[in-house]
Amino acid sequence: MTTLATSSHTYWSVALIIGLAAALIVATLLILLIRAVRSIEKSTDGLLVVATAVGENTAYIPQLEATAPVLAKIVDETIVQDGYMNALTDGFGAVPEEATR
């Protein structure tokens, strides 16, 4: 049976190499996380601008609810005015029978 001759120096070297590799991996992942967070932050800043504009555009929607009753009154008044115009123009433009003789 053969055994490898290892000393405490070798164990420390292996442990340091593993620790260094783990630290590099963690540092890389942290850098990627920071980039992702910055990207998300940029996106949300843009969304705040758009959301403010949308809020300003939709602020007047409750006033539109008052439009339907006013339109109904306009239609009713139009019907009345049409009746007046028909009453005024009834017989207008017709050629009298006396003029055709």
Side-chain angles (χ1 to χ4, degrees):
M1 187 175 192
T2 59
T3 60
L4 295 172
T6 56
S7 67
S8 62
H9 186 288
T10 306
Y11 286 130
W12 274 107
S13 297
V14 170
L16 287 175
I17 290 171
I18 291 172
L20 179 63
L24 289 175
I25 291 171
V26 169
T28 303
L29 291 174
L30 282 174
I31 290 170
L32 292 175
L33 179 64
I34 290 170
R35 285 184 184 170
V37 168
R38 285 184 183 158
S39 173
I40 292 169
E41 189 175 17
K42 277 186 190 176
S43 297
T44 55
D45 288 343
L47 287 176
L48 279 174
V49 171
V50 172
T52 302
V54 169
E56 290 172 0
N57 290 337
T58 58
Y60 300 104
I61 288 178
Q63 293 177 354
L64 291 175
E65 293 175 355
T67 304
V70 172
L71 289 177
K73 290 179 182 179
I74 291 172
V75 169
D76 292 342
E77 184 63 27
T78 304
I79 292 170
V80 170
Q81 294 299 321
D82 186 49
Y84 289 152
M85 292 303 293
N86 287 337
L88 289 173
T89 59
D90 282 347
F92 183 76
V95 179
E97 289 182 31
E98 296 174 2
T100 58
R101 290 188 200 171

